Amino acid sequence: MDCPSEENLIRMKLDGISSIANLDFDIPNRKLTVFHNGEIDHIEKSILELNLGGHKQITEQAEQIKFEDGSDQKQLLWTVLAINFTFFLIEITTGLISKSMGLVADSLDMLADSFVYGLSLFAVGGSLTKKKRVAKLAGYFQITLAVIGFMEVLRRFFVEGKLPDFSTMIIVSIFALTANGICLYILQKSKSKEEAHMKASMIFTSNDVIINLGVIAAGLLVFWSKSGVPDLIIGAIVFLLVVQGAFRILKLGK
């Protein structure tokens, strides 16, 4: 668990389990505390099905705790959803115009995050059956786009074409990096002051930020090497990450 998207995947996966009273996420330390009543086997199995590398560390008795109702979470999710989807449109457009597969791939990563936040919002007050149906559609759609993108990477690798516009790659990725930082900050607004350090920790551990930096580095390598190979490499890597994320979404539909 290393980014808000994975937190939302876990929340969706555990949605509907009546024995859960509250979920407390500590993203920098990759820990989740589940407050529940009754058996934990079903909860543990559901988390393991996401293949996020999770395992149970400890189970102990806790006193009755009053939890926040989480009413602010819906507004925060709408905000980060809007930011991610906006940058999906920006990156897919500039990526196609600049001939950059890195930007196109990064746009799909933004779209993937939008799917997760959208599914989280959809799950609020919705039936479990509807949530699973939408999760399947989102997962298959995401895989389709990623496969098409990966095939285009292979085509460009074997058929020499025009170099991608490195300046567009770098400038757009810097803005996307800023947007991801804003999203990570917004998502932590509801946390306690003692966890304010999570903002900086999440920026440096988030896959989204690493991808943004990767596209920036690829843009610089395109400029220095006068070759489009660095752009194709980062594009292929991100497409594979998008497919991996899609399979996690599909697990929610089971």
Side-chain angles (χ1 to χ4, degrees):
M1 181 188 67
D2 57 7
C3 70
S5 293
E6 292 184 0
E7 174 181 334
N8 280 287
L9 284 174
I10 295 173
R11 288 187 183 279
M12 285 187 290
K13 185 67 176 179
L14 299 182
D15 181 50
I17 301 180
S18 58
S19 61
I20 295 178
N22 190 62
L23 299 174
D24 183 15
F25 289 84
D26 182 357
I27 294 180
N29 294 313
R30 300 178 64 83
K31 290 183 180 180
L32 166 63
T33 302
V34 181
F35 296 88
H36 65 97
N37 299 305
E39 296 294 329
I40 196 174
D41 292 345
H42 182 39
I43 299 173
E44 184 179 5
K45 180 181 177 182
S46 297
I47 294 175
L48 292 177
E49 286 177 351
L50 289 174
N51 293 325
L52 298 178
H55 62 277
K56 182 173 65 178
Q57 291 187 333
I58 188 174
T59 301
E60 59 185 11
Q61 191 76 21
E63 297 181 358
Q64 183 67 33
I65 302 175
K66 183 178 180 180
F67 303 109
E68 296 180 1
D69 59 9
S71 58
D72 65 329
Q73 293 302 312
K74 191 170 183 179
Q75 181 178 354
L76 295 180
L77 284 172
W78 273 116
T79 302
V80 295
L81 170 69
I83 293 174
N84 275 272
F85 191 73
T86 297
F87 268 87
F88 156 68
L89 295 176
I90 292 173
E91 288 194 305
I92 191 70
T93 302
T94 56
L96 293 174
I97 293 175
S98 65
K99 309 295 183 183
S100 170
M101 294 309 297
L103 282 179
V104 172
D106 194 26
S107 74
L108 293 189
D109 183 63
M110 287 286 195
L111 180 63
D113 287 345
S114 298
F115 280 152
V116 173
Y117 298 130
L119 286 170
S120 297
L121 286 166
F122 184 81
V124 177
S127 70
L128 191 60
T129 301
K130 286 184 178 180
K131 183 187 71 174
K132 289 183 176 182
R133 187 181 302 120
V134 174
K136 284 183 178 180
L137 290 174
Y140 286 128
F141 180 65
Q142 190 172 314
I143 289 176
T144 300
L145 293 179
V147 170
I148 292 173
F150 194 81
M151 291 174 64
E152 178 62 14
V153 167
L154 293 177
R155 187 192 71 80
R156 295 190 184 190
F157 185 81
F158 292 107
V159 179
E160 186 176 355
K162 184 179 179 181
L163 284 178
D165 185 344
F166 71 90
S167 60
T168 300
M169 292 175 62
I170 295 173
I171 293 172
V172 174
S173 293
I174 289 176
F175 280 112
L177 178 64
T178 303
N180 276 319
I182 292 173
C183 285
L184 294 175
Y185 173 72
I186 290 174
L187 286 166
Q188 295 311 312
K189 286 179 64 177
S190 63
K191 302 293 184 180
S192 64
K193 292 182 180 179
E194 289 75 12
E195 295 179 349
H197 67 283
M198 291 176 67
K199 172 189 173 183
S201 299
M202 289 175 65
I203 289 176
F204 288 106
T205 58
S206 169
N207 285 338
D208 295 335
V209 171
I210 293 174
I211 290 172
N212 295 146
L213 294 174
V215 177
I216 292 172
L220 292 173
L221 289 173
V222 168
F223 170 69
W224 287 329
S225 66
K226 305 302 179 184
S227 169
V229 173
D231 177 59
L232 297 180
I233 292 176
I234 190 65
I237 292 173
V238 178
F239 282 132
L240 291 176
L241 291 175
V242 170
V243 170
Q244 183 183 46
F247 278 115
R248 288 176 180 171
I249 292 177
L250 286 175
K251 287 183 179 294
L252 299 175
K254 294 183 177 180

